[in-house]
Amino acid sequence: MLSSSTLKAIPDPGDDFDIKNGALLSPILRPRVPGTAGSAAVLNHFVSFFKENLPAWNLSFQNSTQKTPISGNGKTPFVNFIATRDPPWTSPGEVGYLTLVAHYDSLIKPEGFIGAIDSAAPCAMMMHVARSLEPALVKKWASMDKAGVKGESYDHYFEEHKGLQIIFLDGEEAFVQWSATDSTYGARALAAEMETSIHPALSTYHNALSSISLFLLLDLLGAPSPNVPSYFKTTHWAYQRLADVATRLASTSKALTSSIDRWFSDADSSEGSYWLGGRIEDDHIPFMARGVDILHMIPSKFPDVWHKITDDGEHLDIPTCKDWAVLVTAFAAEWLDLEGFFDLAKAGMKQKRGPLGRTERTVTSKTEL
Ligand SMILES: [Zn+2]
């Protein structure tokens, strides 16, 4: 568990979530229909972000071409982008991942549709998580190396090697009408390919799919005061841990919104109020069908702007977006056992009162892109 001082030291996305010129978010706020120039530009934004800021990450693409109801005799290209960070001494098949997932494609209509909550903002949140955790991961792995607790002896004492995987999926949206075949094009292609990517014999994890310890899907996030129920019985424990992090972010005054500790309506229940997991169709379906554990962060009901032209940058609630980014960072940090590896001195935050009486924070040494 992260201490309060570590929670407070988790970086805030700051100006990088500005919708006009924020380094992380603004380049994603444009139409990005699969196979178009907008899609390629946004994909390029992700790739250059990792190459320039996170050179130790392993980057890969999973490509497919598929027929759609509007592709006629041709096929539409779909490109998934996968960034992974493993402990430096591990080999493929030894690492279990916390896998963060969001789709980067946007709905083809109405014309000019941006899809800010759907899912530009979640993509920016994942970028923030990656860069915020990297220094702590480096520190943790260096200290394990120094203590001689990697490799064989490490295997002996610990259950698994933990890594972080971030997947930007293409082709989630339907082209005409949502159905099993007109939707989740990228996710279906990726899940099938991961299942057949077999790791070397005697690996801890049999294939790329079984390397996913938890598939944390972020979708339709960025509208104010979301309500996210617990959708899956099998991952209710993870849902409760995430909700607990939210409560602690609120109690340490780290959260920017006052509603964050009410986002998770099933937090205090031993059961979800209703297990909807099989009924909300999204990118998790082909993974769930293959036995992957899913934690689905999608509000119920969907935000009002959903699939409307008003789902744009101006309608995002930026403090909510920032709270999501910090919350997922903190949850991932606990998953990866990073307590003690954040640079508390460097976080150097000062607080001031905002015009609405809401506490606002300025990070004085924000990580620059
Ligand atoms: Zn959508």
Side-chain angles (χ1 to χ4, degrees):
M1 209 166 99
L2 298 186
S3 64
S4 327
S5 46
T6 302
L7 276 180
K8 284 184 188 162
I10 295 210
D12 175 299
D15 294 342
D16 291 341
F17 272 19
D18 186 279
I19 62 167
K20 291 288 179 224
N21 44 35
L24 295 188
L25 179 59
S26 68
I28 318 173
L29 294 173
R30 57 180 293 173
R32 32 190 206 285
V33 173
T36 64
S39 166
V42 170
L43 184 61
N44 191 44
H45 167 56
F46 300 141
V47 176
S48 15
F49 168 79
F50 278 92
K51 283 194 170 156
E52 285 162 23
N53 301 283
L54 301 165
W57 286 59
N58 179 40
L59 310 181
S60 66
F61 300 93
Q62 192 272 328
N63 299 287
S64 65
T65 56
Q66 301 181 51
K67 272 195 161 317
T68 79
I70 62 159
S71 63
N73 291 327
K75 287 181 171 180
T76 302
F78 298 95
V79 186
N80 300 313
F81 173 54
I82 303 123
T84 53
R85 187 67 164 107
D86 298 341
W89 57 83
T90 55
S91 18
E94 290 182 346
V95 182
Y97 295 111
L98 171 63
T99 300
L100 308 181
V101 188
H103 75 85
Y104 74 90
D105 64 302
S106 62
L107 192 65
I108 193 165
K109 62 181 183 188
E111 195 170 336
F113 179 77
I114 298 292
I117 59 165
D118 187 14
S119 273
C123 288
M125 292 167 198
M126 299 199 299
M127 298 167 90
H128 179 72
V129 174
R131 73 168 178 191
S132 303
L133 294 181
E134 174 66 12
L137 284 170
V138 168
K139 248 187 165 175
K140 177 194 166 183
W141 290 331
S143 86
M144 287 170 69
D145 198 357
K146 208 170 159 197
V149 290
K150 59 173 190 171
E152 305 244 328
S153 58
Y154 175 76
D155 279 336
H156 188 73
Y157 291 107
F158 294 82
E159 266 184 14
E160 60 172 7
H161 301 289
K162 289 178 183 171
L164 184 60
Q165 180 172 61
I166 298 188
I167 303 182
F168 299 86
L169 288 173
D170 199 1
E172 187 263 356
E173 302 286 6
F175 286 88
V176 175
Q177 165 121 46
W178 187 280
S179 72
T181 50
D182 187 16
S183 71
T184 61
Y185 293 89
R188 287 185 284 124
L190 182 63
E193 188 171 302
M194 286 179 114
E195 189 173 32
T196 53
S197 302
I198 309 294
H199 289 141
L202 307 182
S203 293
T204 314
Y205 301 96
H206 176 63
N207 59 33
L209 200 75
S210 60
S211 296
I212 300 175
S213 301
L214 183 71
F215 185 100
L216 204 181
L217 178 58
L218 307 172
D219 201 2
L220 306 185
L221 304 179
S225 303
N227 173 53
V228 180
S230 182
Y231 293 101
F232 295 99
K233 207 166 194 164
T234 48
T235 55
H236 188 57
W237 65 275
Y239 171 93
Q240 286 184 302
R241 272 176 55 170
L242 194 130
D244 181 61
V245 176
T247 305
R248 285 183 279 133
L249 286 173
S251 67
T252 56
S253 311
K254 171 74 179 173
L256 298 171
T257 66
S258 56
S259 65
I260 188 169
D261 54 352
R262 298 188 301 275
W263 291 0
F264 304 97
S265 49
D266 294 329
D268 299 325
S269 168
S270 59
E271 295 241 312
S273 48
Y274 44 116
W275 304 112
L276 278 167
R279 280 191 280 157
I280 294 191
E281 293 182 6
D282 205 345
D283 281 323
H284 62 294
I285 296 285
F287 293 85
M288 181 177 82
R290 290 169 171 85
V292 176
D293 271 341
I294 312 292
L295 181 57
H296 198 182
M297 286 295 120
I298 190 169
S300 174
K301 65 180 196 358
F302 292 171
D304 292 337
V305 296
W306 177 66
H307 284 192
K308 291 183 189 155
I309 193 70
T310 44
D311 183 11
D312 56 12
E314 281 73 16
H315 287 82
L316 285 174
D317 188 67
I318 296 301
T320 300
C321 293
K322 291 179 177 176
D323 276 357
W324 274 115
V326 170
L327 172 59
V328 177
T329 302
F331 173 79
E334 296 200 345
W335 187 280
L336 296 161
D337 304 317
L338 295 179
E339 173 60 19
F341 299 108
F342 282 89
D343 194 342
L344 303 191
K346 222 173 141 188
M349 296 181 197
K350 55 182 184 199
Q351 297 192 4
K352 62 177 187 204
R353 281 278 155 193
L356 302 171
R358 170 195 283 157
T359 305
E360 293 179 342
R361 277 161 204 83
T362 316
V363 181
T364 50
S365 61
K366 178 167 65 67
T367 310
E368 298 292 343
L369 276 178

